[in-house]
Amino acid sequence: MAERTLIILKPDAVQRGLVGSIIARFEQKGFQLIAAKFMKISKALAQKHYAVHKGKPFFERAVQYLSSSPVLVMVWQADDVIKMSRRLMGETFGTEAQPGTIRGDFGCSHGFNLIHGSDSPASAEVEIPLYFKPEELIDYPLAQAHWLYGPPDEA
Ligand code: UDP
Ligand code: MG
């Protein structure tokens, strides 16, 4: 079933010039780009974004990091995109993330981690409207869909 996820290329991804390399992985995997916005996240928006982590010891640090410099916010779509994009991202910090993952290949920090991705359909439903109006999410047929997904499973 087609699913959507909120992906943010965080301040360090932009400042380190890794935006193109990271987006390439999502494109090559076959995900469909639905929306994108280059912006500076305010402290208030970052607090809303990380509301589920309020009260945890790292909350203030995560808010400060996300709002410290411009980011690229995107919505990507595919069948099961949430589970697959979390796998592409790897463990939370580059210090633990497997090689081959985005966090494992591009970072070695235990404070910065390059990318945010929704962790469940429920999170995506809350996160996407924080950044995009419904009309900013663009529905269009994916030209390569037939060759990407192959024949449907036999019943
Ligand atoms: N974070 C942190 N220290 C921690 C855990 C998380 O600084 O011990 C920050 C980090 O930027 C992370 C964000 O808070 O991306 C949200 O944490 P979460 O556990 O949701 O990790 P993610 O879903 O990004 O892998
Ligand atoms: Mg998370």
Side-chain angles (χ1 to χ4, degrees):
M1 190 197 64
E3 192 176 69
R4 289 176 174 181
T5 189
L6 185 85
I7 297 291
I8 302 179
L9 304 190
K10 289 179 168 183
D12 49 330
V14 174
Q15 294 282 2
R16 291 180 54 207
L18 292 171
V19 165
S21 303
I22 297 173
I23 287 180
R25 295 193 173 203
F26 286 92
E27 286 187 323
Q28 287 161 358
K29 180 74 173 165
F31 298 167
Q32 183 178 12
L33 185 62
I34 296 296
K37 194 176 282 184
F38 185 66
M39 62 184 285
K40 181 137 188 295
I41 297 179
S42 68
K43 205 167 174 205
L45 180 54
Q47 283 167 342
K48 274 192 206 165
H49 177 94
Y50 281 133
V52 289
H53 294 306
K54 204 166 177 184
K56 293 184 190 165
F58 61 84
F59 176 74
E60 286 303 333
R61 185 168 83 146
V63 165
Q64 167 58 28
Y65 166 38
L66 194 63
S67 58
S68 61
S69 183
V71 298
L72 184 65
V73 189
M74 298 173 284
V75 176
W76 288 86
Q77 176 174 298
D79 293 351
D80 286 323
V81 71
I82 293 173
K83 193 177 68 193
M84 285 189 284
S85 54
R86 295 285 298 188
R87 285 206 188 123
L88 289 183
M89 287 162 54
E91 295 292 315
T92 297
F93 289 109
T95 43
E96 291 91 33
Q98 290 289 319
T101 65
I102 292 163
R103 286 163 165 172
D105 283 353
F106 296 130
C108 58
S109 166
H110 200 272
F112 292 163
N113 60 0
L114 300 166
I115 184 165
H116 166 83
S118 305
D119 65 5
S120 66
S123 304
E125 238 174 75
V126 172
E127 291 172 2
I128 291 170
L130 292 179
Y131 299 92
F132 296 101
K133 301 185 196 117
E135 64 268 25
E136 291 175 320
L137 304 171
I138 313 221
D139 232 338
Y140 61 100
L142 189 63
Q144 62 169 335
H146 172 75
W147 295 107
L148 191 58
Y149 288 110
D153 291 337
E154 285 178 36

